[in-house]
Amino acid sequence: MEDNRLKPYTPEPSVSDGAASPLRFDFPTGNDPQSIRKRIEAMEMILERSFVLPGTNYRVGLDSIVGLIPVVGDIITAAMGSYLVWEARNLGLPKWKLWQMMGRIGFDSAVGSIPVVGDAFDLVYRSNTKNLKTVKKHLDKHHPQTRVIDQ
């Protein structure tokens, strides 16, 4: 009789047709620009476009949902948005671009903290998406090998 209790678990390789699952996020651990780009894109997806509002085709993320919690929610989403700025600093973006990105997060947090108006504002203003565009422009110019063809 074979004892398999101490045998390490190895997951079965999944067979896919090449289509990515809508809620599958890939966080590579490398420090190269390609890995950083994937991490920033995944974090932006989580914060801005991870769920579909029922009855509509409008996508929202944790930024809008967690922002519904008074005060604490806005602090949490600002911290999560600051991760994108930290990764951008690791890529070597100029300080003025980093300040611009932090300004967007600060503006989003300040207006988002207003009780009812801020929650509606969070649905419309996507600071993390704008910050992702800033990082992508920098990567496309200074690290062209990281370009990905969007479909």
Side-chain angles (χ1 to χ4, degrees):
M1 185 167 180
E2 186 176 330
D3 186 12
N4 289 330
R5 288 181 291 174
L6 298 177
K7 184 178 178 185
Y9 173 74
T10 54
E12 297 288 326
S14 62
V15 177
S16 71
D17 57 356
S21 171
L23 289 179
R24 183 167 183 252
F25 304 109
D26 187 21
F27 285 105
T29 58
N31 288 331
D32 58 303
Q34 185 78 24
S35 297
I36 293 173
R37 181 183 190 123
K38 286 182 182 179
R39 282 195 303 264
I40 290 174
E41 288 173 347
M43 182 60 84
E44 185 270 338
M45 174 76 166
I46 291 169
L47 288 172
E48 302 291 0
R49 305 177 279 126
S50 53
F51 306 105
V52 177
L53 285 177
T56 67
N57 199 17
Y58 193 74
R59 298 188 73 80
V60 296
L62 287 181
D63 189 17
S64 300
I65 295 170
V66 175
L68 294 172
I69 303 169
V71 182
V72 177
D74 295 310
I75 292 171
I76 291 170
T77 57
M80 292 173 74
S82 297
Y83 172 77
L84 273 71
V85 179
W86 180 74
E87 287 285 13
R89 184 189 65 80
N90 291 341
L91 283 172
L93 263 75
K95 286 187 179 185
W96 69 271
K97 285 185 182 179
L98 297 175
W99 281 105
Q100 183 181 37
M101 292 171 69
M102 285 303 295
R104 287 184 191 127
I105 293 170
F107 179 67
D108 187 15
S109 298
V111 177
S113 65
I114 301 171
V116 174
V117 175
D119 297 328
F121 178 77
D122 274 341
L123 290 173
V124 178
Y125 186 74
R126 298 176 182 241
S127 62
N128 299 303
T129 302
K130 293 178 186 218
N131 288 343
L132 175 66
K133 287 180 184 177
T134 300
V135 172
K136 280 184 174 182
K137 271 188 187 178
H138 176 80
L139 283 172
D140 290 346
K141 183 177 180 182
H142 297 285
H143 303 280
Q145 70 276 12
T146 65
R147 284 190 186 163
V148 178
I149 299 174
D150 295 326
Q151 295 180 1

